[in-house]
Amino acid sequence: MPTARPALAAPLTFAPRLKHYLWGGRRLEGLFGRCLPGGVTAESWEVSGYPGEPSVVEDGPLAGRELPDLVAEYGIELLGRRGSRAAEKRTFPLLVKLLDASHALSVQVHPDDGWAAAHRTGEPGKDEMWHILHADPGAGIIHGLAPGVDRAALRRAVAERRVQDALNRVAVRPGDSVMVPAGTVHGILSGVVLLEVQQASDTTYRIHDWDRLGPDGRPRELHLDRALEVIDYGRRGAALVEPRVVEASAGVLREVVAACRHFVVERIRADAGANFGATLDGASCEIWGAVAGTASLRPSGAPALDLAPARFVLLPATMGPFTLRAHTETVAIRVFLP
């Protein structure tokens, strides 16, 4: 007889995939108690279906399975009705990761879905958002171009080695959220640790890399011509998202801190001992993690799962009712498909 397929009745936990890029540091260790190998760690991929870099289930009856395989097997039972197109393609549409920018990242831009499809990049465009978890005093980001900078002005600034004059810098502090739509010139400057939620894409065009050398001792490749094509020069507006309160009840405050057509990100603040309940009814899967405090997540009829600091779990779309319980004052992040 065929083996029964395990039910999607509990959160899926994954082993983080660590990336050791030259701009990283060791703050994931100090801030969240991560056990890191020697050297620097730049990123921890928490939930990923990206080709060649999939998350692997850590515990439970599906332990050892890769996330794309589960999408192929369970489809909308895992992703939800809102993820039907991704289910048809057997892809997980989002990537959630932590970044430790001990040194500045390159100044870059990502294409949108239309440009990526027209130019056959092999993957979608890339909208992303950042939620700031730590920022040194005076730390900031690059978000967009300085007022009056158009395509010609940016090309001149690069040619004259004064590209920094063409960029818009924004100070950030813990708790800030930043929406980075495709087409937005951006960069994370030194002294920032953040959570990133993005489309599952890595199509990136570098404009400036601070004149540093790569691991091979040579400057990293820039992609100015492609970057100039995909930049949205008309995009202006505040970098920092003004949180929108969607629920305020006894001991719980729920806010939308980023939203686009690819994902919604909420922040749930809960007092010690408070409970937040919801039901996964098949519309969308959800990704949860506690970025401050200690909490547990209990599905109906299943054991509670303690949320480790800044470790993210995937809740299948058909999991049913669940409760988040805050053991201490807690800040949790919730991601779902719109």
Side-chain angles (χ1 to χ4, degrees):
M1 295 181 61
T3 303
R5 189 176 68 160
L8 296 176
L12 299 175
T13 62
F14 302 103
R17 300 188 70 96
L18 303 180
K19 304 294 178 181
H20 309 290
Y21 306 135
L22 53 85
W23 44 264
R26 299 196 62 82
R27 285 188 171 174
L28 299 184
E29 184 177 58
L31 291 172
F32 306 120
R34 292 295 181 89
C35 182
L36 302 178
V40 301
T41 296
E43 297 183 358
S44 175
W45 290 24
E46 297 291 303
V47 182
S48 167
Y50 190 75
E53 300 286 353
S55 289
V56 177
V57 179
E58 203 169 28
D59 297 304
L62 294 170
R65 297 286 302 276
E66 295 182 351
L67 182 53
D69 293 340
L70 297 181
V71 173
E73 180 174 349
Y74 289 91
I76 62 172
E77 188 179 345
L78 174 62
L79 295 183
R81 295 183 297 275
R82 299 173 190 166
S84 58
R85 291 185 63 186
E88 290 171 3
K89 297 178 180 179
R90 300 189 172 193
T91 60
F92 191 78
L94 302 178
L95 173 57
V96 174
K97 58 189 180 183
L98 304 173
L99 284 77
D100 174 8
S102 287
H103 304 279
L105 279 69
S106 63
V107 180
Q108 56 190 241
V109 65
H110 309 298
D112 62 19
D113 290 342
W115 194 96
H119 291 78
R120 300 181 180 181
T121 63
E123 55 185 19
K126 185 175 174 183
D127 285 344
E128 62 186 270
M129 71 81 64
W130 304 332
H131 187 71
I132 309 300
L133 302 178
H134 168 87
D136 289 346
I141 61 169
I142 292 163
H143 191 277
L145 299 172
V149 175
D150 58 13
R151 180 171 180 161
L154 180 57
R155 185 182 283 279
R156 284 196 304 272
V158 173
E160 296 169 4
R161 300 180 64 83
R162 51 177 186 82
V163 67
Q164 296 186 54
D165 297 339
L167 306 175
N168 181 47
R169 294 175 180 249
V170 179
V172 295
R173 59 185 181 180
D176 286 342
S177 295
V178 182
M179 192 66 211
V180 188
T184 304
V185 174
H186 61 277
I188 304 167
L189 301 177
S190 59
V192 175
V193 178
L194 57 80
L195 167 71
E196 180 172 298
V197 179
Q198 59 161 91
Q199 287 178 264
S201 173
D202 198 34
T203 302
T204 300
Y205 300 127
R206 294 192 198 103
I207 300 167
H208 179 66
D209 199 30
W210 312 104
D211 298 322
R212 65 181 157 206
L213 303 180
D216 60 358
R218 303 174 63 182
R220 293 199 296 172
E221 183 182 6
L222 302 180
H223 319 94
L224 181 60
D225 289 339
R226 282 290 173 97
L228 292 172
E229 282 187 45
V230 305
I231 292 171
D232 183 351
Y233 297 96
R235 185 180 297 280
R236 294 286 185 258
L240 303 184
V241 176
E242 184 67 31
R244 177 171 59 88
V245 176
V246 292
E247 180 181 344
S249 57
V252 175
L253 179 67
R254 181 164 66 98
E255 305 165 294
V256 173
V257 295
C260 65
R261 64 192 185 96
H262 300 292
F263 53 77
V264 178
V265 182
E266 293 184 348
R267 175 173 59 194
I268 289 87
R269 301 178 186 269
D271 295 340
N275 293 315
F276 170 79
T279 298
L280 289 166
D281 60 1
S284 174
C285 59
E286 297 188 3
I287 299 169
W288 279 78
V291 296
T294 57
S296 60
L297 197 151
R298 181 188 294 275
S300 178
L305 171 69
D306 289 332
L307 296 178
R311 287 285 302 274
F312 286 78
V313 300
L314 175 62
L315 279 55
T318 52
M319 193 181 75
F322 68 94
T323 301
L324 176 81
R325 178 172 178 80
H327 303 303
T328 65
E329 186 175 346
T330 296
V331 179
I333 298 294
R334 177 193 200 185
V335 182
F336 55 90
L337 303 176

